[in-house]
Amino acid sequence: MIIANSPTILSVQGLRASINGTEILKGIDLTVRSGEIHAIMGLNGSGKSTFAKVLAGHSAYEVTGGSIQFEDKNLLELPPEERARAGLFLAFQYPIEIPGVANTQFLRLAYNTVQTQRGKEELDPLEFDDFVREKMKLLEMKPDFLDRSVNEGFSGGEKKRNEILQMALLEPRLSILDETDSGLDIDALKIVANGVNRITNKDNATILVTHYQRLLDYIVPDFVHVMQAGRIVMTGGKELALELETRGYDWITANKQPVAGVSA
Amino acid sequence: MSAVLQSLVNQPYKHGFVTDIESDIAPKGLNEEIIRLISAKKNEPEWLLSFRLKAYEKWLTMSEPEWQNVHYPKIDFQDISYYSAPKPKKKLASMDEVDPELLRTFEKLGVPMHERAALAGVAVDVIFDSVSVATTYKQKLAEVGIIFCSISEAVHTHPELIQKYLGSVVPVGDNYFAALNSAVFTDGSFCFIPKGVKCPMDLSTYFRINTEGSGQFERTLIIAEEGASVSYLEGCTAPRFDTNQLHAAVVELIALDNADIKYSTVQNWYAGDENGVGGIYNFVTKRGLAKGVNSRISWTQVETGSAITWKYPSCILRGDNSVGEFYSVAVTNNYQQADTGTKMIHIGKNTRSTIVSKGITAGHSNSSYRGLVRIAPTAEGARNYSQCDSMLIGDQCGAHTFPYIQVHNNSAKVEHEASTSKIGEDQLFYFSQRGIDAEEAVSMIINGFCKDVFQQLPMEFAVEATKLLSFKLEGSVG
């Protein structure tokens, strides 16, 4: 939702980043305010996922220019774990597997680390168990999820649900969902989208990185940005996603003017 | 390897202090005279001296093994002192008589002795350099007929058992280092569980090498009679010296019908510094004979220390339906080298063995799993399952697997699985994106990786092993 005068959570200006000497992000500007949902769309290789990882602080990328302000913090000065503790959350496109580590153990460690940072009480294993089971209902997850090793042998859908479960537990100020819709069948997509919708509120913000309009049928964005060759080349409302769905991306190169409000 | 990773692995060794205790040290060098001296010092019977001399003769005809995947300069066996004992060397009746300096040492090591032993319910035999200095709980164990004492004591009090079993599983000429041990061993633990007795507590031995330039050659012998069972724990540390020290131990286990022996080791000998200077050469022969029907021998080891580890705790499954198990975690860092694994020799019918080996390599270290599974023609219906997993931290280390499988019976079933994984940037990024710092992340990944082995350890040891591993790998990930 767009709220008048709501505080800015994220302000990105002229962001440039490269990996192994190749520049991927070539000057990104983006402002995200509390309560808003932004979708970033674009073809493979346009830099969407890189942008998500750079925001989270992945060490493989070198930031070569620009600034990222996250609430009152200069994000570029913080290592990834402090960005996370400050309330920035990234739902991974490919969540890693951790054999031998029970999901509940991992979730509790993450939860308690963030709680401590916020000056709140840690939960012991029993308290946490009650708490996490409640959250799991949001995502229609079975209880045996807790005892299985983190992401090991999970189906694509289960992995993505596990990501959103973490989002629900950690209550971030800003969530970045990197291709959360990829590899999901329509039922799983609805469950995940429904989970996200119940987590979003006026006090947090969400960035959805996606290829397809499909996800945006269920999580409705306030803004749609199109990325191309490391830049945001067009910004519009939710209608822009529909237009992309029917017209593809080609026409944008020819006409880089914002087309907010144009209906498909 | 990133900086965080590196700083995580490179933590100083905390057991590297030397205890200032006067020692009785034999002059360096090995010859018949030294062997006679050791034997005389220990007031040994003639048969034991001839056991030693026979081993020495064998040893002279053998050459150091070279097939293992480790590299080190030739050992000068004449530059080692073969006997070092803390003075005074009189027999001790209780822990109160132990040199207080020695007790402080064990306190520093966190050895659960004394009242802590009582709380933990663990009977401890402590081997300092090569001599057993204290055995706790002897009295209580004696009530149920269990003999638990130093092997040199047992030579005098139970010569018939020693004579019968010593060298019966690992013959004097078994291999180069076993022959050396048989010639010069100075002490070790002896444990005898009589028929039908389940040992009421875990038995434990702590080994400590203290004197520079001395070797440690201890000998452990454990016998479980029909229907008996025991869980035995072994821990090891050593101070930091710039010279390499040799540790060549022999452990023999014998399980009769329906007996069960579980032997767990947490080995943390000094590993040398970050440039590979100093550290213990841990060349050990451990073997269990599952002699009786339905007997079981289980080895669990967590190997974190030593400059070089060369050991293959093995099971000879002679009794029908006998079971052999080997659970191992081997961690190497800096310039450590490990060539370790097991041998499962199936002779009896329906014998079963399980091998779970987890190797973690960091820094410039090198780790090899070497295992033999052999099914003899007589081993009708034998089964083996082996699983060897390696985890690499950084890109300067190496992991190798050498499985040897020899099947001579068509009804046998042998399975081998192997995997290699790597703690990489992406894994650590996942943790850090959840607010978890690199150290905790590595500890969690490693403990998850080792879970199948750790859950085989007795509770107390499992906690220690978990801590040891995090400590060991601190600074290695990033």
Side-chain angles (χ1 to χ4, degrees), chain B residues 263-321:
Chain B
Y263 195 105
S264 313
T265 305
V266 173
Q267 184 264 108
N268 186 23
W269 295 119
Y270 179 50
D273 67 10
E274 65 278 11
N275 299 313
V277 177
I280 303 286
Y281 291 167
N282 190 36
F283 299 161
V284 170
T285 306
K286 291 183 168 178
R287 196 172 302 156
L289 175 62
K291 196 172 182 181
V293 296
N294 305 317
S295 55
R296 175 169 164 260
I297 288 192
S298 177
W299 298 100
T300 305
Q301 60 171 16
V302 178
E303 302 283 319
T304 68
S306 299
I308 303 177
T309 296
W310 179 92
K311 79 182 247 205
Y312 313 91
S314 305
C315 299
I316 301 172
L317 305 172
R318 185 182 295 162
D320 289 348
N321 309 314

Side-chain angles (χ1 to χ4, degrees), chain B residues 360-404:
Chain B
I360 301 162
T361 34
H364 293 84
S365 68
N366 227 308
S367 170
S368 303
Y369 165 80
R370 187 183 304 276
L372 168 68
V373 176
R374 182 187 197 166
I375 313 285
T378 49
E380 202 68 33
R383 273 182 293 156
N384 161 266
Y385 172 74
S386 305
Q387 184 191 333
C388 304
D389 299 323
S390 310
M391 181 175 274
L392 303 171
I393 303 178
D395 51 11
Q396 305 290 314
C397 52
H400 316 267
T401 303
F402 303 101
Y404 303 81

